[in-house]
Amino acid sequence: MNLARARWIEIKLAFAFLTRLPCSIEPGERPEIGNAAWAFPIVGIAVGLFSGSVYLAASLALPALPSAILAMIAAILATGALHEDGLADVADGFGGGTSRDDKLRIMRDSQVGSFGMVALIATFVLTASAMATAPAEARALAWFAAIGACSRAAMFVPMALLQPARSDGLGHAAVLTLGWRFWIAIAFATCAALATVPELILATALIAASMLLLAKRQVGGQTGDVLGATQKVAECACWLALAFHVNAS
């Protein structure tokens, strides 16, 4: 298999894994999730452009806040609420568990508890209110795309620097080394931020480091839920950074 085809297959896997888009991959050509992780920011850009388009379209007839809520719903539909599920599970496990094993058990429970519900509501309200500060102009599309890339790049820190907390599951499969895949993904997100709102770099870095330390302390490693929660919290922080940028300018 040549390099171009290998990268294309990894991009398709990234879209199949992080979105609801129908991306067919033959069983014999399916790479490891960790190998496809470098393309996560590309997926984030695509989801951001889709969500941003909904925001601009809705803004033609609605105020900023309901337009932002519709844009968020569009992103959730595109991703199948993958990251929201991770955030709820992490909040329930870390907030309600009394031991490492207990936390991991709760995180695998499909039911959403009080900690998870509060986390979802908090991030939803903060993100929507911050998103509503974005002007309904064409440049907002670039902001949506940059935040999509940066928030997914935040997942690479626990992926690369923490061992899987379980011997199975997504976290065990999504292992990323500090090789070219890590650095090219970071470069994607950094360039997107520098071209739009540089404050996104600081917001992404702070959340990535905080989630790494929190996951290491709580369960001694990363899981698929930890990665999803990292993306969701980073996205919220990026929108708050953008709101700060808009208000300061």
Side-chain angles (χ1 to χ4, degrees):
M1 185 184 301
N2 60 48
L3 290 178
R5 178 164 175 75
R7 300 295 84 79
W8 173 241
I9 291 172
E10 289 168 358
I11 290 173
K12 287 200 299 181
L13 178 59
F15 272 94
F17 176 62
L18 293 180
T19 73
R20 289 292 183 90
L21 293 178
C23 297
S24 59
I25 300 174
E26 298 299 326
E29 64 179 16
R30 181 177 292 274
E32 297 290 337
I33 293 295
N35 289 341
W38 69 271
F40 285 4
I42 297 176
V43 178
I45 289 173
V47 173
L49 289 174
F50 172 63
S51 179
S53 297
V54 172
Y55 179 76
L56 293 182
S59 296
L60 296 175
L62 297 172
L65 185 56
S67 297
I69 293 174
L70 287 174
M72 292 180 63
I73 292 173
I76 291 171
L77 292 175
T79 60
L82 178 68
H83 307 298
E84 287 78 9
D85 179 69
L87 175 61
D89 287 342
V90 165
D92 282 333
F94 289 6
T98 57
S99 66
R100 176 183 179 276
D101 291 341
D102 194 33
K103 296 174 194 293
L104 291 172
R105 178 189 60 78
I106 293 174
M107 288 163 66
R108 273 200 161 157
D109 192 332
S110 60
Q111 294 183 336
V112 178
S114 56
F115 285 104
M117 186 61 67
V118 169
L120 288 174
I121 292 173
T123 54
F124 193 93
V125 171
L126 286 172
T127 300
S129 57
M131 188 184 295
T133 64
E137 302 171 1
R139 59 175 173 159
L141 279 178
W143 294 353
F144 274 83
I147 290 176
C150 288
S151 61
R152 283 158 182 83
M155 296 190 289
F156 298 137
V157 174
M159 282 178 71
L161 300 180
L162 288 179
Q163 293 295 317
R166 294 191 180 99
S167 59
D168 61 352
L170 176 59
H172 186 263
V175 175
L176 181 66
T177 60
L178 290 173
W180 70 265
R181 287 180 169 86
F182 177 89
W183 295 113
I184 196 171
I186 296 299
F188 271 137
T190 301
C191 290
L194 290 176
T196 53
V197 182
E199 290 92 337
L200 299 182
I201 298 175
L202 178 59
T204 302
L206 286 175
I207 295 303
S210 299
M211 291 301 293
L212 181 145
L213 295 174
L214 180 63
K216 184 176 182 180
R217 179 176 179 181
Q218 293 287 329
V219 294
Q222 54 91 355
T223 68
D225 288 330
V226 167
L227 302 182
T230 300
Q231 187 281 328
K232 206 66 210 167
V233 178
E235 181 183 62
C236 181
C238 283
W239 277 112
L240 291 173
L242 188 139
F244 172 81
H245 173 84
V246 171
N247 288 337
S249 60

